[in-house]
Amino acid sequence: MSSNLLVIAGGRDGQERIALSLVHPRERIDVTIAQLLAITVVPDLTFAAPDGTLRSYAMPSVHVRLAPSICARLHRLTQAILQEKMDIVIAGEVVASPRVLEPIGAEQHISIGVYDVADAEQLAEKLRRGWARPALRAV
């Protein structure tokens, strides 16, 4: 059995800080701090019903707006992995493993659903300061 070593870049030594990673066996997309354009906690999901009225439901999430170059890569990847899971990794921890139901990235953001607003605030704070330190892992 052979292993490959994978270098996870990031950290304080002049390297780009990694805020989050989108990981699938086909590809890993590392998003640096500079490629995060906005991080927003959204407590409710509001949409227009067919009759034109607005409806809101408590569905806390963290919306992350990404640089166009990341969105293009994410869109290509998610088109290829429909119905498969993709890990969202923040600060070395898998925070979600959603099944990809449609291509992601055309709207230039991703949403990470959480249990409540407090969890959303914690996740947003982790993202704001989150980055992976250089490490070696056997793969």
Side-chain angles (χ1 to χ4, degrees):
M1 178 174 162
S2 66
S3 294
N4 296 321
L5 291 179
L6 171 68
V7 176
I8 302 171
R12 301 174 191 222
D13 301 340
Q15 298 174 348
E16 294 271 357
R17 289 183 176 186
I18 297 172
L20 72 109
S21 298
L22 305 161
V23 182
H24 183 270
R26 284 182 178 233
E27 184 177 357
R28 174 189 174 117
I29 300 173
D30 290 326
V31 181
T32 65
I33 296 280
Q35 294 167 321
L36 285 181
L37 304 181
I39 301 167
T40 309
V41 173
V42 179
D44 302 314
L45 174 65
T46 302
F47 64 94
D51 64 3
T53 61
L54 292 179
R55 300 215 176 144
S56 292
Y57 295 94
M59 295 184 72
S61 63
V62 177
H63 286 216
V64 181
R65 193 162 55 101
L66 303 169
S69 61
I70 293 296
C71 291
R73 287 181 61 198
L74 180 58
H75 196 263
R76 279 192 303 275
L77 172 61
T78 56
Q79 278 182 316
I81 64 166
L82 293 175
Q83 301 304 319
E84 297 178 28
K85 289 188 176 187
M86 178 178 66
D87 292 338
I88 299 172
V89 180
I90 299 173
E93 176 187 346
V94 175
V95 297
S97 296
R99 186 169 306 280
V100 177
L101 300 177
E102 62 186 6
I104 302 166
E107 296 86 23
Q108 296 195 342
H109 80 273
I110 60 172
S111 294
I112 305 168
V114 293
Y115 182 69
D116 60 25
V117 175
D119 288 344
E121 292 287 351
Q122 287 179 334
L123 184 58
E125 180 56 31
K126 184 184 256 188
L127 249 177
R128 289 181 182 114
R129 71 173 186 271
W131 52 280
R133 295 178 185 215
L136 292 177
R137 282 193 324 202
V139 182

